Amino acid sequence: MKATVITIGNELLSGRTLDSNFALLARTLTGAGVRVIRHLTVGDERLGMLSAVRAAEIDSELIVLSGGLGPTADDLTREVMAELAGVPLAEDGELAARLRARAASLGRPLTAVAIRQAWLPAGVARLRNPVGEAPGLWFERQGRIVCALPGVPSELAAMTRESLMPRLRARAGALAAIATVTLRTLGISETVIAQRLEDDAIDLTGVELAYLPQTAGVDLRVVGTGTDAAQAVARVEEALVARFAKVIYARGEETIEEVVFQLLRERGLKLAVAESCTGGLVGYRVTRVPGSSEVFVGGLTAYADAIKASELDVPAEVLATAGAVSAETAMAMAEGALGRFGADVALAVTGIAGPGGGSEAKPVGLVFVGLARGGGASRSRRLQLPGDRHQIRERAATIALECLRRFLLGSLTESA
Ligand code: ATP
Ligand code: MG
């Protein structure tokens, strides 16, 4: 089944509201095997809405509208749906009674504007709204479904889940079998991945492989549709894992901090962090994971050299000779945090986030990650990260966590 999504609202066209309704609808429909082939955004204006639906009718079996179902003068979806269905607007007695009862229970008069909400296309199916007053609308004509949902995001989400998708599921043949898997990677670029897949002539028949770059790392999403979808996706997943096992940190939606949390918990290890250029980002991200107190003892933001020396016991001569941004300092910070916090494993980050502070020998984006654990050799890793200050800090935090993952698995190599 092919679908067009039409989102309605002047605030979407002016850029004041981000179109999250489209994202939700597209994700939900795509995940159920519907092919979303077009997205149109139109203002609160009758002709724009009509022409968008007419354009969609050419090639879409499903047309979903969002917004404009309310009672105010700029809400035109009820009228346009009536015009498209070829029926007049008529008062829905049940809805009018409900609106009256609600107004009475709140001790408010029911305004003429509010009652307009009950004027709906005659004979057109209503979709129950579990969280608001305005019902959705649904009619079918010449094998096409036209469906209107409210614009308020919480109402749209509830109705997509509870009304739209069950109705589509009940229609034989509307939803295709779909299988999908996401493999999340860190430390390899999309072009290197693509090159290796080409070199090895990986068979991608029956699936779509999407490269989804994140602030740090690339997600690989494999999607198959049709009766053999699950087998095709499994075959490609196996081929990807065989080649990229080391850089794949998660399967599905899991974040790097969740993966690290799991590893620490399984091993019964306590983590401490010492951060310079990331300013607490690593600690923030680890403690975002529910239950992190089981594995995280604490962290220190040691920005000034004096604090690195006094609170983390980084030797003064290391700071003087190797410098604050160096492999030696990163390892000394990790060792200091390990001892001071009584942790089993410690992660440290020091680097130059910019825009100032870089030099030829130590340019902006140079970051060292240090790792230490009780009774084992400390490790460091040198990174040269691209981007502005914000991106460098985010990337440093993510890759530091990835270094920790590999350190815990015993596969952290000394250099990048
Ligand atoms: P209401 O009954 O509240 O008027 P409605 O169905 O008429 O609802 P709109 O008036 O179009 O919907 O939008 C209501 C609010 O929902 C908007 O102010 C906007 O904040 C939000 N909204 C509408 N469309 C979208 C969208 N596509 N993405 C995100 N938010 C949206
Ligand atoms: Mg409205």
Side-chain angles (χ1 to χ4, degrees), residues 7-8 11-12 17-21 66-71 75 150-153:
T7 49
I8 299 157
E11 76 278 11
L12 299 171
T17 301
L18 255 179
D19 198 342
S20 62
N21 287 354
S66 139
L69 274 180
D75 292 321
V152 178

Side-chain angles (χ1 to χ4, degrees), residues 270-273 286 292-299 337-338 341-345:
K270 304 276 190 197
L271 171 71
V273 300
V286 170
S292 53
S293 59
E294 278 179 62
V295 304
F296 186 69
V297 286
L338 192 75
F341 287 85
D344 304 303
V345 54

Side-chain angles (χ1 to χ4, degrees), residues 381-392:
R381 187 155 166 185
R382 178 196 172 102
L383 311 168
Q384 184 62 54
L385 302 173
D388 60 25
R389 179 177 175 82
H390 172 72
Q391 290 169 321
I392 288 169

Side-chain angles (χ1 to χ4, degrees), residues 322-376:
V325 179
S326 64
E328 291 85 342
T329 294
M331 284 190 288
M333 285 170 69
E335 286 159 10
L338 192 75
R340 290 285 186 118
F341 287 85
D344 304 303
V345 54
L347 171 63
V349 192
T350 178
I352 303 160
S359 66
E360 204 164 313
K362 294 188 175 179
V364 168
L366 178 66
V367 173
F368 288 90
V369 175
L371 285 145
R373 69 184 299 173

